[in-house]
Amino acid sequence: MAETGNFALWLAALCALYGAVVCAWGARAERPRLISSGYNAALAMGALVVVASIALWYSLLTSDFRVEYVAAVSSLAQPTMYKFASFWGSLDGSILLWELLLCIFTALVVVIYRKSHADLTPYAVTTLLVNSLFFLSVMLLFANPLGIRTPAPPDGQGLNPILQSPSMAYHPPNLYMGFVGFAVPYAFCMAALVKGKLTDRWIVTTRRWSLIAWYFLTVGIVLGAQWAYVELGWGGFWAWDPVENASFMPWLAGTALIHSLAVTEKRGLFKSWTLLLAISAFSLSLLGTFLVRSGILISVHAFATDPARGLFILIFLG
């Protein structure tokens, strides 16, 4: 199963590259058939990433310790819930989670807006595909969650004991839904800049997606604060945790973005400010992901201990 997942990731990277090039080319040349081909590539990429994700979950649940990531974050004695949550228990798997969510959002953009926003969607999808291509390349070259090693150990190391909490099952996914959700407003922001059109439709679309991302990020932060309280007591609740503070930065930018979009939609003001906030919210999401996953921050629920492997996110942010 792991071999199938690896093959799916390689094909997904090729689809992302092809889709990004074809969408941009078709939009510039005003060739609908090329744009449609790029959209199909984006959908195919999403399907392939789903296959790779299922392969990793299958490897975790069946304790396939041939997979290096499984051996690092799971063990035979580990309860099933924590085996499932180990998917995002370290850097490699969390990058696949990011990519899985990004593929889902990209597919939704293609399906919902390919006709209603025909002028902006090709550039928005191109932006999302470039993001996907980056994370797929990182997985395949530096942090492959489906990498195989031989001989397989008889048992794995298991998930970090501090992370073996029920909060591990739902806090990180909510947080990542918020982080990745801001990629859609950012993508439409880039499309509007390329086209030079800040239309009302762009504003409405961006506001809806910003609200969705803000909602999930809010839920993730509240759940994380509760987790910090359980681990650290009132000191952790009031002082918060470095990981929670890292996720709070894009929340602040997202909150400002929602209000700025409301003013832009109703009064036509703050258009440049809205663009800046859309870029900032997604950029701070990347920065927060780097801080959480790189091991730079000392935290009761930091998710990695190797800053060098998280450096690529900082490079991409630059």
Side-chain angles (χ1 to χ4, degrees):
M1 193 67 174
E3 292 85 352
T4 302
N6 266 313
F7 185 60
L9 286 178
W10 280 104
L11 288 179
L14 292 175
C15 287
L17 176 61
Y18 172 80
V21 171
V22 169
C23 267
W25 182 15
R28 295 291 291 180
E30 297 183 354
R31 298 176 63 178
R33 292 183 66 183
L34 282 179
I35 296 173
S36 181
S37 180
Y39 290 164
N40 291 335
L43 296 175
M45 175 195 71
L48 290 164
V49 170
V50 168
V51 170
S53 301
I54 292 173
L56 180 56
W57 262 311
Y58 179 82
S59 298
L60 286 165
L61 294 173
T62 59
S63 298
D64 184 0
F65 297 125
R66 295 180 306 123
V67 180
E68 190 170 358
Y69 181 77
V70 175
V73 299
S74 185
S75 66
L76 292 173
Q78 196 161 282
T80 301
M81 182 181 73
Y82 295 134
K83 288 182 180 180
F84 183 85
S86 295
F87 185 104
W88 46 82
S90 191
L91 177 66
D92 302 4
S94 68
I95 296 302
L96 181 54
L97 175 63
W98 178 290
E99 177 58 26
L100 175 62
L101 295 174
L102 185 57
C103 286
I104 293 171
F105 290 151
T106 302
L108 289 173
V109 168
V110 169
V111 172
I112 296 172
Y113 301 115
R114 64 189 306 166
K115 293 183 179 178
S116 61
H117 293 55
D119 54 339
L120 295 178
T121 303
Y123 293 108
V125 171
T126 298
T127 303
L128 293 169
L129 287 173
V130 169
N131 276 273
S132 284
L133 179 61
F134 174 79
F135 285 106
L136 286 166
S137 299
V138 167
M139 279 191 288
L140 291 170
L141 298 176
F142 305 111
N144 190 349
L146 289 164
I148 296 174
R149 68 175 181 180
T150 52
D155 198 357
Q157 299 176 24
L159 188 65
N160 184 335
I162 295 177
L163 299 181
Q164 293 188 30
S165 163
S167 299
M168 185 63 183
Y170 44 81
H171 164 56
N174 275 284
L175 211 59
Y176 265 49
M177 285 282 285
F179 283 162
V180 182
F182 281 119
V184 178
Y186 170 77
F188 276 102
C189 168
M190 293 295 102
L193 287 174
V194 170
K195 293 291 290 183
K197 294 181 179 180
L198 299 180
T199 62
D200 291 340
R201 287 185 306 157
W202 171 81
I203 303 281
V204 172
T205 301
T206 304
R207 189 180 181 196
R208 287 172 180 168
W209 280 97
S210 298
L211 283 168
I212 292 170
W214 182 89
Y215 168 79
F216 280 107
L217 189 57
T218 301
V219 172
I221 289 173
V222 171
L223 292 174
Q226 185 268 342
W227 191 358
Y229 167 71
V230 169
E231 295 290 344
L232 300 174
W234 283 108
F237 182 82
W238 291 116
W240 279 38
D241 179 85
V243 166
E244 301 313 315
N245 288 330
S247 63
F248 194 55
M249 295 186 297
W251 185 89
L252 290 173
T255 303
L257 173 61
I258 291 170
H259 288 81
S260 182
L261 281 165
V263 175
T264 304
E265 181 182 353
K266 293 179 180 179
R267 301 183 182 181
L269 303 175
F270 296 168
K271 289 186 178 180
S272 298
W273 184 244
T274 297
L275 288 169
L276 179 61
L277 286 171
I279 295 170
S280 298
F282 182 60
S283 299
L284 289 171
S285 294
L286 286 174
L287 179 61
T289 302
F290 164 71
L291 293 173
V292 172
R293 300 292 175 173
S294 65
I296 286 181
L297 294 178
I298 305 296
S299 166
V300 293
H301 61 291
F303 296 89
T305 56
D306 185 0
R309 299 187 71 189
L311 184 62
F312 67 88
I313 301 177
L314 198 60
I315 294 172
F316 185 56
L317 174 60

